[in-house]
Structures are given as structure tokens and as C-alpha cells.
Amino acid sequence: MSQADRIYHELERRIRSGELAPGTQIPFEQDLAQSHGCARATANKALARLAREGLIDRRRKAGSFVAQPVIRSAILNVPDMPTVVGSRGQSYGWQLLIGPLQDHPDTGSDADGESWLHWAGVHLADARPFAHELRWIACDTVPEVSTADFATEAPGTWLLRTLPWTQARHRVRAVAPSSAVRRALQVKAGAPCLQLERWTWRSERAVTYARFTFPGDKYDLDEAFAPGPMPARKD
Amino acid sequence: MSQADRIYHELERRIRSGELAPGTQIPFEQDLAQSHGCARATANKALARLAREGLIDRRRKAGSFVAQPVIRSAILNVPDMPTVVGSRGQSYGWQLLIGPLQDHPDTGSDADGESWLHWAGVHLADARPFAHELRWIACDTVPEVSTADFATEAPGTWLLRTLPWTQARHRVRAVAPSSAVRRALQVKAGAPCLQLERWTWRSERAVTYARFTFPGDKYDLDEAFAPGPMPARKD
DNA sequence: GAGTGGTCTAGACCACAAA
DNA sequence: TTGTGGTCTAGACCACTCC
């Protein structure tokens, strides 16, 4: 525990406990350094971290103030399928159902300029259906996909290995699955399912779009972060 | 854009683009400082940030290396109801259905030592049902709740004002709602719904538990973060 | 104008892990 | 044993903003 961490944790505790109400002014870097017997740069490091995590607002010449609290965001873990299944202590499997087909995820046709390939398959946990996946991959961004074989390996697994450090956007909703998906998942009509969509890109270029469908009773997104600092607000 | 930011962004770009593959060694702080014409502390700040965001691993005596990429997590925005409704350009409303009742969110009875109060109500968007809410509040942690009136204000709104800087844990799943919830939401039987659970505490003490149910076609969790750094891994 | 945060420096010491 | 990251210092300069 560094000195900067100590200053950070003391202030974090006093803010989270309500002892320092929103709007309250926090000691200047100079005073904080003096009262803790350290250099100003050390106090600055602690206050910069509090500001980065949204606990305080800092204004030149005015000082630092406890921020107005908001329910900002939560981290929902959305890992890849082998990880999900493995963390439940089950064996992972993959079964390709359809593909590759040539069509576009938005238009459904291959009319426009971009070239996409399209697959469907099922992720298995202990040899039983766990999630249905629809997958599109942009051939322009990932030319290697033309030589890939997704019969024994899911596209997501292959992509993670082939294109590291992509970025993603997610959407979650509840749906009544189509009959094709119901058959693949072996669920009854009317069974509510969780649908997770993921758009992935790399350096401003679309890489892939995936749509996962989980039986409602077999999966839930469970946010994992324990009591602690909220994620950094931005940059 | 500070000098440390420039070093950070250059390395971030080269890692995200794949130019620096996972496992690749990154220049030492000393060399990085020299090549950029700055002090080692400045290079250290940039590398510390890359490590905090999980892009590199750092080991004493060995150096810094590009980390193995994983789909780690996504930020799903889970704000409070007035914010959700307001951001859709709709007018927000609240209607209390039941409560306060005395029972415990886990046991359903009031037998054990803890004292909880319990409500049910509906959040409205343009005067139409938007979400059903079940709410428990721990009287021991929030004694002020005994004088609160949730006829015109939702418990969550009141709590946000009364107890700033709480912490929360969320879970999301797809469910078939109970008949009571279906009536409140005015949805047909068999309509899939998104259920969001939220546990809230403050300083290790349980504050409240809420269960929101949304009609599947009226709401989806949409993760908002644009291409950019992943949230800090931990601490 | 004055005082604050934001940033950087040049140097230092230590802990720790790799060689 | 050695070299790296981790941390801290004392001082400095600048930009911005509040008074």
C-alpha cells in the first residue's frame, strides 16, 4: 500500500460513508501533502485517481469537491463462450449448423459493396445446448476468414486468436426465440430467452456481429464486481 | 494532451492495431523516456495506465509485455428509472401498488433479526407502464425510511437522494413474468420480459434489493461505451 | 492578480524477480 | 547479483479560473 493509496483510501472511505457529503470541499493538494507528510505530487496522484473514478470534481483555483453521486454504470461480465462454460465447471463444445453463407447482417442480402460471411451454430455445455449463435464476419476486414473452418471451432474463438484487441459493443434483451433457434436449443415454445448482441470492430473497421440466444433458465448475466471503486469515467 | 498521454496513445494504438502482438516486449521505461525526450516518471505514468487498463503486463526485472487479450467485460448502463425514461424523451411517472409490508427479501417472512420493508409499484413512460418494481429496504441501515412516503416518489429516487455513494451489484435474465406483474405491465401471457436485479449496499451494510421487470419489446440494456480504453481491471 | 490544479524533471531509494 | 519497476521528493513552470 503506497502513500498515495493511503490518501486515496482514506478519502474514498469518508466519501462513500457519507461523512463527506456531495459538494463538500476537499483539502488542497498542498494541505493534504503537509498533513500526510508527503510531497504534493503524491497527494496529486491520489486526488487524480479519485477524480478519474468520478468521486470528486476538481476545478482550478477553486479546489476539489465531492461529486454528486449517480448510478452511473455497472460492469456486466460478457466473456466468450468457452470461458463462460468452463467457469461453470462444464465441458465446452461447439456444433456448426449452417454456413458459410454470403449475406449482409443489416440488409440480409449481398447487394451492397461490403462482403460478409454468415454462420449459425450451437455452443454446448456438457454436450447439451447452452447458447445459439448467429455470426457474421466482414471479409474485407478479416480476409483470413476465407480459409477458416468453423466445423470444430466456434468463430468467436477463432477471431479471438486471430484478431487480438478488438473492441465491442453489446446489447441485451429478452425475446421469444424463433422456431429454428428453439429447435437448436431444445426449448419449448414460449420459453423466454436472453439475447445478447455483440458488435465488434478494430481500428474503426467493422469486424463481426454476433447474436447469442440463451434459454432464460440456463444463463444470466451476473455482474461480478465487488464493493470497490467504480470504473474510470473516461479516458 | 500531455506527454504521458502521447506515449500512452502511441502504444495503445500499436497494441490495438495488432502491430504489437500479445507477448511482445515493450521498451523499458528508461528507453521510452530517452526516445521521447522526457523523464522516466513520465514514461512510468503512461505504462502504469496501460497496465491498469489491462493492455500490458509488467514484471520487475523482466520488463513490460503486451497482454493476452480477452473479452473481459463491458459496461452496461444501468441507470435509475427517471433517467432511463427521460433519456428517451418521455415523461416519467410512478405509481405505488403495494406497501409498505414487513418481510424479508430472502426468507419472505419477518422471522429473523433483520427488519426490512417492502413495496411494489410501476414506473410509467408517457403514462404507460414501463417497468414493474419490487423493492425491499433494510430499516436497520436506513432508519429514515420509516418516515418516507413512496406514493408520489419511487423508492429508488428517494434513496439516491438520501444515501449518496452506495454500491450496487446487478443481475440480468429473461423471465416469464408472474400474473401480477403481467397485469401491472399490461402484457400478454408468454411475453418474454427482461428482469434486472440490483443489490445495493453502503459500507458493507445491505441497503436495498430491487427487482425490475421490463416488457421485452420495450427495453433493452444498451452498452454505451464507444471505442476507447477498457475500464480499469481492478483497484 | 493570485492561487489552484496539471504536468514535468532529475534524482533517489527500495523491493523484487530474473539471470 | 543485477536490473527493472514502484514509489517518492523538492522544485519548477504553465494554464486556467475564480476573485
Side-chain angles (χ1 to χ4, degrees), chain A:
Chain A
M1 174 88 75
S2 69
Q3 175 73 352
D5 284 346
R6 267 192 293 278
I7 299 176
Y8 167 86
H9 280 114
E10 178 201 322
L11 289 171
E12 187 214 7
R13 180 186 55 76
R14 294 174 65 190
I15 292 172
R16 296 210 121 99
S17 72
E19 177 189 338
L20 296 174
T24 305
Q25 180 159 14
I26 279 185
F28 300 128
E29 291 187 354
Q30 198 101 308
D31 302 340
L32 218 46
Q34 191 170 2
S35 65
H36 283 78
C38 66
R40 183 169 80 96
T42 305
N44 175 281
K45 191 177 176 185
L47 293 188
R49 182 174 165 197
L50 285 168
R52 194 177 61 233
E53 292 171 358
L55 284 165
I56 65 173
D57 289 328
R58 314 198 70 189
R59 295 198 306 276
R60 282 182 161 94
K61 170 69 180 172
S64 304
F65 302 84
V66 178
Q68 294 297 326
V70 280
I71 297 181
R72 284 187 296 119
S73 59
I75 294 178
L76 286 168
N77 277 334
V78 187
D80 58 334
M81 288 304 137
T83 305
V84 170
V85 174
S87 68
R88 300 164 141 241
Q90 298 177 300
S91 69
Y92 171 78
W94 160 255
Q95 186 184 353
L96 183 65
L97 298 177
I98 300 173
L101 306 176
Q102 274 201 21
D103 59 358
H104 193 281
D106 297 331
T107 64
S109 73
D110 195 25
D112 64 353
E114 300 175 26
S115 172
W116 291 72
L117 287 177
H118 167 204
W119 292 262
V122 183
H123 299 271
L124 309 171
D126 283 344
R128 302 180 56 177
F130 175 73
H132 179 270
E133 170 175 345
L134 283 177
R135 169 75 66 167
W136 281 262
I137 297 180
C139 302
D140 299 334
T141 312
V142 198
E144 308 94 316
V145 74
S146 58
T147 63
D149 178 17
F150 296 142
T152 58
E153 182 181 47
T157 312
W158 179 84
L159 277 168
L160 192 60
R161 197 179 59 244
T162 308
L163 287 188
W165 296 116
T166 56
Q167 299 170 298
R169 178 170 181 271
H170 294 85
R171 182 164 68 168
V172 176
R173 51 182 166 176
V175 298
S178 68
S179 59
V181 172
R182 279 207 311 272
R183 265 196 308 278
L185 291 176
Q186 300 172 14
V187 297
K188 286 179 283 192
C193 286
L194 198 68
Q195 187 179 86
L196 169 66
E197 294 174 288
R198 176 186 292 161
W199 292 263
T200 305
W201 66 93
R202 166 169 162 166
S203 306
E204 312 281 323
R205 292 181 60 110
V207 170
T208 184
Y209 164 71
R211 184 190 299 162
F212 304 94
T213 309
F214 306 87
D217 58 346
K218 284 211 179 145
Y219 186 65
D220 53 314
L221 283 166
D222 196 347
E223 180 246 341
F225 87 95
M230 286 296 212
R233 201 170 246 175
K234 60 184 299 188
D235 206 299

Side-chain angles (χ1 to χ4, degrees), chain B residues 96-111:
Chain B
L96 183 65
L97 298 177
I98 299 173
L101 304 176
Q102 274 201 21
D103 60 357
H104 192 281
D106 297 331
T107 64
S109 72
D110 195 26

Side-chain angles (χ1 to χ4, degrees), chain B residues 72-202:
Chain B
R72 284 187 297 117
S73 57
I75 295 180
L76 288 167
N77 278 333
V78 187
D80 57 335
M81 288 305 135
T83 304
V84 171
V85 174
S87 68
R88 300 164 142 243
Q90 299 176 302
S91 70
Y92 171 77
W94 160 255
Q95 185 183 355
L96 183 65
L97 298 177
I98 299 173
L101 304 176
Q102 274 201 21
D103 60 357
H104 192 281
D106 297 331
T107 64
S109 72
D110 195 26
D112 64 353
E114 300 176 25
S115 172
W116 291 72
L117 287 177
H118 167 206
W119 292 260
V122 183
H123 299 272
L124 309 170
D126 284 345
R128 301 180 56 175
F130 175 73
H132 179 269
E133 171 175 346
L134 284 177
R135 170 74 67 168
W136 282 262
I137 297 180
C139 302
D140 299 335
T141 312
V142 198
E144 308 94 316
V145 75
S146 59
T147 63
D149 177 18
F150 296 142
T152 57
E153 181 181 47
T157 312
W158 179 84
L159 277 168
L160 192 61
R161 198 180 58 241
T162 308
L163 288 189
W165 295 114
T166 55
Q167 298 169 301
R169 179 171 180 271
H170 295 84
R171 182 165 69 169
V172 176
R173 51 182 166 177
V175 298
S178 68
S179 59
V181 172
R182 281 207 311 274
R183 265 197 307 278
L185 291 177
Q186 301 173 13
V187 297
K188 286 180 282 191
C193 287
L194 198 68
Q195 188 179 83
L196 169 66
E197 294 174 286
R198 175 186 292 161
W199 293 263
T200 306
W201 66 92
R202 165 168 163 167

Side-chain angles (χ1 to χ4, degrees), chain A residues 162-166 202-203, chain B residues 9-27 55 65-67 69:
Chain A
T162 308
L163 287 188
W165 296 116
T166 56
R202 166 169 162 166
S203 306
Chain B
H9 280 114
E10 178 200 324
L11 290 171
E12 187 214 8
R13 179 185 55 76
R14 295 174 65 190
I15 292 173
R16 297 210 120 100
S17 72
E19 176 189 340
L20 297 175
T24 306
Q25 181 160 15
I26 279 185
L55 284 165
F65 301 84
V66 177

